[in-house]
Amino acid sequence: MIKFVKGDITNFKADAIVNAANSSLMGGGGVDGAIHRAGGPAILQECKAYVARHGRLPTGQAMITTAGDLPAKFVIHTVGPIYKIIRGSDDQSEKNRKTEDQRKKLRDCYINSLKLAAEKGLSSVAFPSISTGAYRYPLEEAAPIAVQAVKDFLKEPSSVKDVAFVLFNAPTYEAYKNAG
Ligand code: AR6
C-alpha cells in the first residue's frame, strides 16, 4: 500500500526512513541535516565507515545504517540527481537521452532503496521527496517518477508491504497526492 502524509520524516515510524543524502554521506542541509540532527552521531559514524570502505555513494545508489535515536529502525541513504536543464544542442536524440538518464537516476533512488529494504526483510519504508529541494528537480516531474517507481516495485513480491511518502510542505504533498 502507498500512502501520502504531510509531515516531518524524522518523526515517522517505519522500519526504514530514506534520506536524500549526497555522495559524501557526511550530512548536509534539508532532510539530510534533520535526520542526522534527530538521529544522533551513530548514523554519521556508520556513514563514515561505509565511505572509508567503499568510497562515495554514486547517484542513484543506496546504503543502510542504524536510525540511532529516531523512531525508525534503519535509515536508507540514497543520492538523488542534481537537476540539469538540458539545452543548447540541436541534436534532439542527445537531449532525449540526457533527460531520460536523469529520470532513470531518480527512479533508481527509489528502486535501489526498496531493494535494500527487501534484502533486510523490512516491511515498511518512508520516503521524502528526493532531489526536489537543494537539487532542484521540478516537483511536477519528480512526483510521478517517484510514485511510479514505488508502484512498480510493489507489484513484485517482497517483504516490503507499506510505503509512505512523507512530504514536508503543502505543494509537495499535493504534487505527490496528484501523482498517486
Ligand atoms: N521531513 C521530510 N521532508 C523534508 C524534511 C523533513 N524533516 N526536511 C526537508 N524536507 P532536500 P535534495 C524536504 O534539499 O533536493 C542536502 O544538503 C524538502 O522540503 O533535503 O535531494 C543533502 O546533503 C524537499 O521537499 O534534498 C544533499 O547535499 C525534500 O525534503 C542535498 O541537500 C528534499 O529536499 C540533497 O538535495
Side-chain angles (χ1 to χ4, degrees):
M1 231 183 62
I2 302 184
K3 70 176 175 183
F4 302 94
V5 179
K6 188 140 66 92
D8 179 341
I9 203 166
T10 62
N11 298 325
F12 198 79
K13 202 160 183 265
D15 291 339
I17 64 167
V18 177
N19 181 19
N22 60 66
S23 288
S24 78
L25 296 175
M26 290 301 115
V31 69
D32 194 7
I35 286 173
H36 280 280
R37 268 195 307 279
I43 299 176
L44 188 59
Q45 206 177 317
E46 286 188 26
C47 286
K48 281 184 175 161
Y50 178 93
V51 173
R53 198 178 163 141
H54 302 281
R56 293 161 70 88
L57 186 66
T59 304
Q61 300 300 305
M63 58 80 77
I64 190 164
T65 66
T66 174
D69 302 330
L70 295 171
K73 293 184 194 142
F74 297 96
V75 175
I76 294 172
H77 304 260
T78 188
V79 182
I82 301 171
Y83 188 77
K84 291 193 183 66
I85 297 166
I86 313 293
R87 62 176 141 194
S89 161
D90 291 332
D91 185 345
Q92 189 59 43
S93 69
E94 177 72 358
K95 273 192 208 168
N96 291 347
R97 191 190 59 72
K98 286 184 177 166
T99 305
E100 203 38 56
D101 182 59
Q102 188 159 252
R103 294 172 63 84
K104 173 150 188 325
K105 289 264 164 52
L106 184 60
R107 179 182 165 89
D108 284 349
C109 288
Y110 291 91
I111 299 289
N112 288 325
S113 296
L114 291 166
K115 279 187 182 163
L116 203 46
E119 279 167 31
K120 292 269 175 197
L122 307 183
S123 76
S124 57
V125 179
F127 284 99
S129 174
I130 296 164
S131 280
T132 66
Y135 283 178
R136 298 188 311 277
Y137 213 112
L139 200 45
E140 304 305 324
E141 288 181 45
I145 295 169
V147 172
Q148 193 58 51
V150 171
K151 282 186 178 169
D152 290 345
F153 188 88
L154 290 177
K155 278 184 205 147
E156 305 296 330
S158 86
S159 63
V160 180
K161 304 297 175 205
D162 294 307
V163 175
F165 285 97
V166 182
L167 295 326
F168 206 47
N169 54 38
T172 311
Y173 175 72
E174 293 303 329
Y176 278 74
K177 240 182 83 165
N178 291 337

